[in-house]
């Protein structure tokens, strides 16, 4: 115990070089006993069976894992170990030798942070300032600009829930923000506006999940997001029987990048323009976003862009499913692609990611199971009749995208927003789902 | 989630045959992918390294473990899984094929029930009846005979502490009972007497740990007993600065068995008598215990028996240390063998186990570390000058044990108490430490 | 503060004589300033008005009350003051000079123990042993015989609720026990039987309040019983929407006494027999109760006794309402007299109080208000058609009671049970409602 | 209960005119029964005794009080009643007929908010935002400018404690802010500076109470401030045994007003100047404060002003004690006037109130009792040798104040700061002690 306290205390304050050396030390030592492991490997190869496989698993288990468990005895050690994995993940490309250590941590975390041990807590104005402050810091989708902004998001017509682990009692692991309203929300701005009056939740029929944020980079890949949404749906149903619909209002972070390639790859673009776009992507010039550009788009352009978005979000990709990370998260959870919205997020980031468009994914309890299975096994995306309609009339012939290119180029949309994508990722503590 | 709920719900009510079949199913399936495992085994054998060892560990990990983690999502599932391991352990001799399943559970439990996740709680009269009732049921050393008996053990001059896990909030995992008194307690009866007045704890200088019980057979081998004692020492020191000494009053469950062999092996016993003793051991006749027999022992006999006990408890056994399970537990924790007491537990069980003798193990914080290391590496037992004195004058010449044999035989001690040892172990839910 | 601690500490351990002297001291001193009080009295008499009345109230307020408030600052002082009033009430007849002190305490308690400050808590097997032990001690209607009995009363088909005050966190002030069943319970024995299996509460349509006990004699006259029942009705409705009926199964503590007088007063009794009954009442001989006597009653006797009971419980007494204390409590709360049960409580006490009969009072939310008002203003008792029927055919001609007398005399019911009524009231800590 | 809910619900939303009418109604009705009261008054006048005095008190008690107790049954009613008294106090001058109602509320509050029922809670960053927000709003001495300011005041080298009542669980009644430092703090600015690093509390030997705020105007005159300070002293001693000194850093809100009169009353001032100062006092012109003016004061002026301050704060006023409200509060609690500080609060308000000077009052446990008694009975102020020294050499001859007048006039201190005093009192919710 005393040693666990000493080691974790030291580690907390180690300068980077020493820390890296410590990682090396942990990763390269604490190997399983080679004599015994060789024997087990040979026995398995000679006669593969449940028994020899199990004996091989036992013989190959690294004593490092037991070491980590013992470190975890020290008060506060779990937080230190989560931080350790965060460091490892950040530099793993340069330090592939850390893999065994990272994998041991990941495996332990998968056990420790098992959903069965997590506690769902409502976050509201009665929550401690210490935790609320972290919600402000960890919000990764729509930045919270101070306490007034936060307060609006915790008002009577909003809900916020987080998962906590008993060993990290003041650290949310993931949280979701929900707006209670009538019908599917079609734009993010009204939901976030500070000072807007609260709606009468007695009349609300829809819960809109408008932001989900993972809080701990060191827990990357240990998934609880899907459990969170489903359990919050249950909580809300119990509290507000008037709610009939549970859906997200989600960004499409990958659309603009995909569109760029799509347009570029399209050979009708002359080389000169392609070069211009590439250059733009490299520029670091920061422009302010320009909502009028979006609102000025003519109906045809708007239609084509929505069709392209539908195409992007439903592309089966030979069974792998669409590439957009947010889409994969919700579709993988069994949600259905429900509706696309034009000019739904005209913030700088909204324009940069998806030309201001946003998406509703619908969580319809009776369909979740089958949606999930079709998606997982075949990459098949469930979508609503609205989307079907868009797709049916969508740009099969790529020439139809010409007006889009003209619009995009004329408004300088790429130029003004690409630098954001090229710039640094959001602060380490923040990870938008997934 | 729905499936996890269904499976754990079903399992709870499965009849034994179906349950065994389910265990077989889990143990014999869910093997790692053989193609990949073979490749990893060969790669390791060809070039053993941190990297190939790690890859072999990953390839040999059974998908069963992930399955168990998913089952654990269901509410109450952790308790079901602990119960499953209890079933496995009970029948493992007859069903060695369950080993892989048992080992996966054990490995997961070692992570889940890591000391870092356990909560120390004081048990007292403000504890819920639901938990107190379990303390009554789980006590494994000195049976608790109803609520009045319990109440005395939770009076102002007593303490009781238990470890709990957040996923089993109403289930103590292990608990310890402590008496606060002046000097080392030399007899268990006064500590347990219902209705005895409480001592003034302002005058107490010694905390006596007189009972430790593991509560969950399904967690066998996942050790927290050593942490419990050490943390309780810290709690008590903080609460009562007047405490100067922390020690146990412990049984010696193996002494009578060892003594039998010792005496039998001793060739001065004529064959006829040896046979008589063997027969006695096989008899099932239940006698009531006979405290006067012990109190009638003459000083020489008493002295020799204490010397033999000291010998038993300090025997290095070629580096393995003494065989007594309770001794191994405390000595392994770094305690010191402090004092032996004659006629300290004249209950039927006390006579049967150790002819009524009991032992103090002293937890002296400054020596714990070095005691522990000498014991672990060399089997060397730390003991007090009192014990050293006993040993110095102990029965080197085995003939000196003749009076003991006479005493033992004339009092019929073996005959009356052996059946207990030969009889069934205590009820499954109860495990005296270790 | 220091003085408050000292005084309340001293008081706790004062022998009776000194305590009485202290009561005298408090009661006879701390008078309002006489000069000012006289002036205010004269001013009021000269010109009575809201203003002079208020000034008189202010001038007559005793500084004793402020003294008591200051004593209450000490930790645990509230319990001491409640105990003080208990002592005062016990000896007030002999010590009428204590009245001012008792009245100040009562007035303060009426403020302190205002319903708005009480907390309703469910009592169940998760409640601390310290509180459960008090429930056992305080039960005043149907004695709780140990922990097994208690456990049955807290099983899944039972509920128990108590009011607590923040300054007495471990002291229930009043508690009620409820059984969940189908239809109105007609006998107490099945509800109390230890070891009886729990009913399926999914099928329960009726909540039977079968015991209410005040716990603090020092709070006599500070009423919370009516709030308790009504709030528990709300709690149960919220938890179990299947419940359609809320009623009591109540004793009739005053019936046997009334019956005695009724029969004696009835001039058809010859003098000799009247004397015999009076003598019986003076006897101290304790008989065991005799259930068969009750069960042997012929139908006519049974009918007449039920009719007499209905008469007793509905007698308007010239606007004052029936005399039975339990009846007054429930009828005053707005309940309706619903049904009478023969052989419903054949315990010694049940026979002694009401020849084994019990009563259901029905709490029908929609009628509570009007029932309550008719009772309070006119002494008019609300009753069901069943009761109306009994009354219509009841013993107008007193000669009809002759069979009852014969039955009562022949079974020796008076003789065996009167001593109980003549004997001491139940232990001080226990007060059946009211 | 239903009516209590209805009435308190209505009252909450009553417009002012209706509310005033309701107050009239409550105050002028609900008189004690006049027949009985007259009889009791006459009986008392005829024969004054403990008994007749008590009977008069009972007869004069207004049924209004019972009415208020019944209103208090409704959830949230206590808050409504506290608010009612706030309204009454605000307009009592214009509505003296409300006195009986106000007095009944005050008397009930004195019982309800008895110190014995209050809970001391630490306020820190783990406190809920809902409560912290109220701390920001209620701070009455040194305004809290937002969450960053608050956070500094709750950092590791600060403490904040509040009293709460169980019926107002989210409403602090009074709170105190404490800085842990070395030696007596001599200036407020360093304590409040946002972003200043935290001190090492291991080295702190002094706790400085730098702000106490009453939160509920409706509880005016129900005192808990003295209990708060003394209990916080106990808490801090238990937590930090290194603390040796407990003192305030307090404003002197009345000094400037007193000084004005002192200087004006002093006949050496020619009439013309006196008029100028009076005029200044009437002006509403707002100047910004001018710290350099204070810092430019020459040593002689500074000395004289400190001497005048000492005179002001120790003036026995013929046994009534000094007039300054803050001084009366701390001296009445038994504190000692310890030290005066020049340029200790150069904020606008600090200059306006006391020309920037502040004061330490020392809470020395061993002297509190005797200080308190001398102050209460004789108006005698306890002070340190430092203060004694100032007083000894103070301005006996009033001509010595001439330099002060010159300084004050030349710096325009009166002109710039008087308007503040002439302006509205701080917002209703805030009341600096007392």
């Amino acid at each position: 115990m005393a040693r666990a306290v000493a080691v974790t205390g030291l580690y907390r304050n180690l300068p980077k070089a020493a820390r890296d050396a410590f990682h090396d030390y942990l990763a390269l030592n604490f190997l399983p006993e080679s004599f015994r492991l060789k024997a087990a490997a040979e026995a398995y190869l000679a006669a593969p069976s449940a028994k020899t496989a199990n004996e091989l698993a036992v013989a190959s288990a690294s004593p490092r894992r037991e070491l980590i468990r013992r470190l975890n005895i020290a008060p506060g050690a779990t937080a230190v170990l989560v931080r350790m994995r965060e460091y490892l993940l950040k530099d793993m490309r340069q330090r592939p030798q850390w893999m065994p250590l990272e994998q041991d941590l990941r495996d332990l975390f998968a056990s420790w942070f098992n959903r069965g041990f997590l506690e769902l807590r409502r976050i509201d104005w009665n929550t401690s300032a210490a935790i609320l402050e972290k919600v402000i810091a960890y919000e990764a989708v729509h930045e919270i600009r101070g306490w007034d902004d936060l307060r609006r998001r915790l008002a009577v017509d909003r809900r916020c829930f987080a998962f906590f682990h008993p060993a990290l009692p003041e650290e949310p692991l993931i949280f979701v923000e929900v707006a209670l309203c009538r019908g599917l929300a079609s734009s993010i701005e009204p939901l976030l506006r500070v000072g807007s009056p609260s709606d009468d939740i007695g009349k609300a029929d829809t819960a809109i999940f408008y932001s989900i944020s993972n809080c701990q980079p060191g827990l990357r890949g240990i998934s609880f997001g899907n459990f969170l949404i489903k359990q919050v749906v249950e909580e809300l149903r119990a509290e507000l029987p008037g709610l009939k619909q549970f859906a997200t209002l989600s960004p499409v972070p990958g659309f603009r990048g995909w569109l760029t390639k799509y347009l570029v790859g399209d050979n009708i673009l002359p080389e000169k323009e392609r070069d211009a776009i590439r250059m733009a992507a490299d520029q670091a010039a920061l422009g302010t976003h320009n909502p009028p550009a979006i609102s000025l788009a003519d109906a045809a352009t708007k239609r084509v862009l929505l069709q392209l978005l539908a195409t992007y979000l439903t592309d089966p990709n030979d069974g792998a499913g669409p590439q957009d990370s947010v889409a994969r998260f919700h579709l993988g959870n069994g949600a259905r692609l429900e509706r696309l919205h034009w000019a739904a997020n005209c913030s700088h980031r909204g324009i940069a990611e998806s030309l201001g468009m946003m998406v509703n994914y619908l969580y319809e309890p009776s369909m979740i199971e089958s949606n999930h299975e079709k998606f997982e096994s075949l990459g098949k995306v469930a979508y609503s009749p609205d989307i079907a309609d868009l797709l049916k009339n969508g740009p099969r012939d790529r020439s139809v995208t010409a007006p889009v290119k003209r619009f995009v180029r004329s408004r300088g949309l790429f130029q003004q927003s690409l630098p954001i994508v090229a710039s640094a990722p959001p602060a380490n503590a923040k990870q938008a789902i997934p």
Side-chain angles (χ1 to χ4, degrees), chain A:
Chain A
M1 162 73 106
R3 285 178 199 171
V5 171
V7 171
T8 54
L10 262 174
Y11 181 83
R12 251 184 268 258
N13 302 307
L14 234 41
K16 185 167 184 338
R19 202 168 63 209
D20 287 354
F22 184 60
H23 295 161
D24 281 347
Y25 172 74
L26 287 177
L28 297 173
N29 292 286
F30 304 99
L31 304 185
E33 215 183 313
S34 69
F35 178 80
R36 192 175 159 219
L37 181 49
K38 278 179 191 164
E42 280 157 0
Y44 176 76
L45 289 172
S49 75
K51 187 163 172 293
T52 53
N54 179 54
E55 278 158 5
L56 182 49
V58 171
S60 67
S62 143
R64 189 186 301 117
R65 203 171 291 198
E66 182 56 25
L67 177 78
I68 299 172
R69 278 184 198 138
R70 293 200 186 177
L71 288 180
N72 192 51
I73 291 167
T78 308
V80 171
L81 293 168
V82 169
R83 176 61 51 94
M84 183 188 284
R85 185 159 173 259
E86 180 181 343
Y87 291 137
L88 295 175
L89 288 172
K90 206 154 62 178
D91 293 342
M92 278 275 284
R93 266 184 216 197
Q94 291 79 46
R95 309 260 188 172
Q97 75 271 29
W98 290 351
M99 174 84 74
L101 174 58
E102 191 274 327
Q103 240 155 12
D104 280 337
L105 285 171
R106 180 197 180 108
D107 199 73
L108 281 169
F109 291 172
S111 293
W112 291 351
F113 292 91
N114 186 288
R115 167 65 194 94
F117 303 138
L118 302 187
E119 183 199 353
L120 183 75
R121 288 197 226 153
R122 179 160 172 200
I123 303 280
D124 59 19
W125 204 237
N126 287 313
T127 302
S128 79
I131 288 175
L132 293 181
E133 187 177 55
K134 283 173 185 158
V135 167
I136 294 178
Y138 292 152
E139 162 68 54
V141 185
H142 304 291
E143 190 196 352
I144 301 179
R145 283 163 306 254
W147 291 84
D148 289 339
D149 188 352
L150 177 67
R151 198 179 180 172
R152 180 64 190 90
R153 301 197 193 192
L154 302 177
V156 292
D157 59 346
R158 298 286 186 271
R159 291 293 180 276
C160 179
F161 289 90
F163 273 142
F164 286 82
H165 187 273
L168 301 172
E170 305 221 321
E171 278 288 344
L173 304 182
I174 185 172
F175 63 90
V176 62
E177 295 165 64
V178 187
L180 305 172
C181 46
R182 285 192 68 76
L184 291 174
S186 62
S187 168
I188 193 66
E189 199 274 338
L191 299 186
L192 301 180
R193 198 182 305 143
V194 176
S196 63
S198 289
D199 289 332
D200 176 359
I201 61 166
K203 296 192 184 138
D205 60 6
T206 303
I208 293 291
F209 296 74
Y210 66 91
S211 178
I212 311 180
S213 301
N214 273 318
C215 308
Q216 309 295 335
L219 295 179
R220 199 161 80 205
I222 314 297
S223 85
F224 4 72
N226 51 344
F227 294 118
L228 179 62
I229 291 184
K230 285 164 196 168
Q231 192 168 343
V232 168
V233 167
E234 292 315 311
E235 295 282 325
L236 292 173
R237 279 172 127 170
E239 187 200 344
L240 300 164
L243 293 178
K244 302 300 176 214
Q245 229 182 177
F246 299 86
T248 72
L249 181 62
S250 297
V252 195
F255 178 64
R256 221 272 328 266
W258 174 86
L259 178 64
T260 314
K261 282 190 232 139
Y262 181 86
L263 294 173
V264 172
D266 188 359
N267 285 329
I268 53 171
L269 256 193
E271 203 168 295
K272 206 179 101 191
E273 289 179 301
R274 240 181 297 158
D275 289 351
I277 289 180
R278 280 203 205 95
M279 204 166 44
D282 294 339
Q283 285 182 354
L286 269 167
T288 54
H289 73 276
N290 195 0
I294 293 299
S295 55
L296 288 176
D298 58 48
T301 303
K302 183 174 148 182
R303 176 102 189 143
V304 176
L305 275 169
L306 288 167
Q307 286 164 340
L308 283 168
L309 181 58
T311 303
Y312 169 61
L313 290 174
T314 56
D315 185 348
N317 271 316
D318 299 328
Q323 298 162 345
D324 190 78
S325 59
V326 172
R328 294 186 68 81
F329 174 73
H330 293 300
L331 297 170
N333 284 344
R336 172 170 107 166
L337 181 61
E338 192 66 13
R339 209 169 294 172
L340 312 184
H341 299 287
W342 182 256
N345 180 3
C346 293
S347 72
H348 197 52
R349 181 167 169 184
I351 300 289
E353 288 183 352
S354 54
L355 285 75
M357 291 180 285
M358 295 188 85
V359 177
N360 298 131
Y361 297 99
L362 183 76
Y363 280 81
E364 168 53 48
S366 65
M367 308 185 309
I368 280 181
E369 192 82 26
S370 69
N371 289 346
H372 163 76
E373 287 188 3
K374 277 181 211 149
F375 183 82
E376 288 299 332
S377 52
L378 311 170
K380 230 184 119 180
V381 173
Y383 47 77
S384 68
D386 275 24
I387 306 290
D389 191 59
L390 267 176
L391 288 171
K392 201 165 56 197
N393 303 304
R396 277 166 232 234
D397 179 355
R398 298 194 162 200
S399 66
V400 85
T401 59
V404 175
K405 286 187 212 165
R406 270 198 304 279
F407 170 74
V408 164
R409 277 204 310 276
S410 70
R411 301 302 165 199
L413 281 174
F414 283 113
Q415 200 162 350
Q416 83 175 195
S417 48
L418 275 171
I420 293 184
V421 171
S423 76
N428 236 319
K430 303 182 174 188
Q431 299 174 276
I433 279 294

